[in-house]
Each structure stands twice: as C-alpha cells, then as structure tokens.
Amino acid sequence: MIRSELVQKIANENSDLRLEEVEKIVDVFFDSIVDQLAAGGRVELRGFGAFSTRSRDSRTGRNPRTGAPVAVKAKNVPYFKPGKEMRERLND
C-alpha cells in the first residue's frame, strides 16, 4: 500500500471528512513520527509497533563499479520493531 492508497482508504471509511482533511491528518501523523525520531526519540504505537533509530558506525565501503574503497560516514538509521499483536496477526 502506498501513501495515496492509505489516504483514499481512510477517506472512504470516514465519509464525513473531506479528502484534503484526510491528507492533512496523514501528513501530520507521519511528520510527527519523523520529527520525534530526528530529535532522538522513540514512537510507540501499542499493538502496532515501535519506531526508533539505530546508530551505524563509520566504515570503509566499496564502490561496486570500480571496487575502490569509499569512506562511509557514521549515521542514524530508522528502525521498526513490530508489536505483539502485529506479529500474532501475521502468523495466524
């Protein structure tokens, strides 16, 4: 499912909301998660899962075309851990 399909599904299930309102809600939801992660925080949605970040150390990578070594800087990457309810529904 892509973002536009999600917006359309929410709009179809909530006929009292205009499509523009649903788009705004979805934007605010995702922006809030990204803002919290960017600030070094964690976002937990009970039954769904938890979003957090993990640190990756700097390392030496390889250019796949030439094989030449390339310095890769340290960075934070997003991480998602599914909740218990999600794992149970996926494995029923």
Side-chain angles (χ1 to χ4, degrees):
M1 176 179 279
I2 60 174
R3 183 186 172 283
S4 60
E5 292 171 340
L6 175 65
V7 169
Q8 191 61 51
K9 183 173 176 74
I10 294 170
N12 291 343
E13 292 182 10
N14 296 281
S15 58
D16 55 321
L17 295 174
R18 294 189 332 255
L19 188 61
E20 297 81 22
E21 293 172 324
V22 174
E23 288 176 347
K24 180 69 173 168
I25 291 167
V26 171
D27 285 343
V28 168
F29 177 76
F30 288 127
D31 287 346
S32 298
I33 291 174
V34 172
D35 290 346
Q36 184 67 22
L37 293 177
R42 181 174 190 264
V43 177
E44 183 176 335
L45 304 171
R46 299 266 180 201
F48 183 74
F51 296 91
S52 60
T53 58
R54 298 261 169 112
S55 295
R56 298 281 186 248
D57 293 334
S58 60
R59 62 185 176 85
T60 301
R62 293 254 174 228
N63 180 329
R65 207 173 270 177
T66 65
V70 177
V72 179
K73 295 180 183 178
K75 60 185 170 184
N76 291 322
V77 295
Y79 176 75
F80 176 74
K81 180 179 178 185
K84 181 180 177 183
E85 287 180 34
M86 179 186 284
R87 287 192 312 269
E88 288 173 355
R89 285 184 64 186
L90 292 174
N91 293 306
D92 280 343

